[in-house]
Amino acid sequence: VNITTGKRIAIANTLLPSRTAYARFSLENLCDVIWGKQATDWMIPMFWGICRKYHGGVFAEIGTRGGITTTALGMAARDVGGRVYTMDISAEFADDAVSNVQMADCAPYVTFITADSSATDFPEPLDVLFIDGDHTYEGVKADFLRHEPNVKKGGVILFHDPCVYDGIQYFMKEIGAYVIPIEAGLGIYTKGPHIPAGVLRRVA
Ligand SMILES: C[S@@+](CC[C@H](N)C(=O)[O-])C[C@H]1O[C@@H](n2cnc3c(N)ncnc32)[C@H](O)[C@@H]1O
């Protein structure tokens, strides 16, 4: 399914891995859940693809809101035998978030935490961290400084909205992160040197 147009396209089975049917079901399910919900659509399969490189991976998110990006992490966790922690200072959209991960069949893999990310740690070391909480320079910096030490070597930190918020873009420059300048943009900071094969190629 093309997530921009909603059109279904045929893909030759010979080009796909042996779990074709399952992968196709997963992507269609994912696209159905996120379709039309917000402008981060193109990031969802990318997050899913990055996380699926980490077998048994631990993925975390700061900024759950309605749980759209949470579904991408959750579906990857289900696929690789991993788990997700998603943290938000507010529970205002918690019902939506729970509903979305249930629709994506990944609820058992997702733990919701209601807390201030600038003062609360995730319970275990992380492979992938998505920072999408406080969008000020000070907020993003505080999240990075608090949680980066808890990201494993070989892990990845993703930042939403560097093309919308000057403070985030400025911080991306400070830490030497890559920025994909599509729509609101995505910042990518890799904690080398042992990045799984495919992750850097996928996001370069
Ligand atoms: C842009 S939204 C997240 C969108 C979400 N990732 C999605 O896919 O729908 C930002 C969220 O960050 C939360 N937030 C802001 N400051 C925070 C903080 N210090 N700790 C935890 N969450 C925070 C807000 O409550 C809000 O729900």
Side-chain angles (χ1 to χ4, degrees):
V1 177
N2 178 317
I3 63 169
T4 303
T5 64
K7 286 183 183 163
R8 288 167 196 273
I9 54 171
I11 301 172
N13 282 348
T14 49
L15 297 177
L16 294 172
S18 56
R19 293 169 74 209
T20 301
Y22 180 68
R24 193 185 299 153
F25 168 78
S26 295
L27 270 178
E28 288 187 356
N29 192 1
L30 180 62
C31 291
D32 283 347
V33 170
I34 63 158
W35 169 238
K37 292 201 170 167
Q38 64 181 51
T40 50
D41 290 1
W42 65 270
M43 294 181 192
I44 304 294
M46 174 184 272
F47 286 9
W48 183 61
I50 290 172
C51 290
R52 287 177 87 252
K53 300 292 179 192
Y54 296 88
H55 292 282
V58 182
F59 315 129
E61 170 180 65
I62 295 169
T64 313
R65 200 167 62 185
I68 304 300
T69 43
T70 318
T71 59
L73 307 182
M75 291 184 70
R78 185 191 65 197
D79 290 351
V80 299
R83 53 203 169 277
V84 175
Y85 299 99
T86 181
M87 186 183 293
D88 203 299
I89 198 167
S90 161
E92 186 181 353
F93 299 102
D95 289 349
D96 290 344
V98 169
S99 167
N100 278 325
V101 298
Q102 283 173 343
M103 278 197 287
D105 290 335
C106 56
Y109 308 94
V110 178
T111 300
F112 294 92
I113 301 168
T114 304
D116 182 346
S117 60
S118 68
T120 314
D121 295 323
F122 290 103
E124 58 180 318
L126 309 172
D127 292 290
V128 177
L129 170 65
F130 176 45
I131 297 181
D132 191 19
D134 181 337
H135 283 55
T136 63
Y137 169 83
E138 293 78 14
V140 168
K141 185 171 184 175
D143 279 340
F144 181 83
L145 292 178
R146 179 162 198 117
H147 298 283
E148 186 273 342
N150 197 29
V151 175
K152 298 176 199 170
K153 286 200 171 118
V156 175
I157 304 178
L158 305 164
F159 301 84
H160 195 213
D161 289 334
C163 299
V164 177
Y165 294 88
D166 288 347
I168 300 178
Q169 188 158 153
Y170 187 74
F171 187 62
M172 296 300 90
K173 286 185 184 149
E174 273 187 3
I175 63 173
Y178 298 93
V179 170
I180 299 181
I182 300 174
E183 293 180 341
L186 181 70
I188 301 169
Y189 175 90
T190 53
K191 197 163 169 180
H194 305 296
I195 309 296
V199 169
L200 277 179
R201 186 159 44 82
R202 184 175 288 273
V203 300

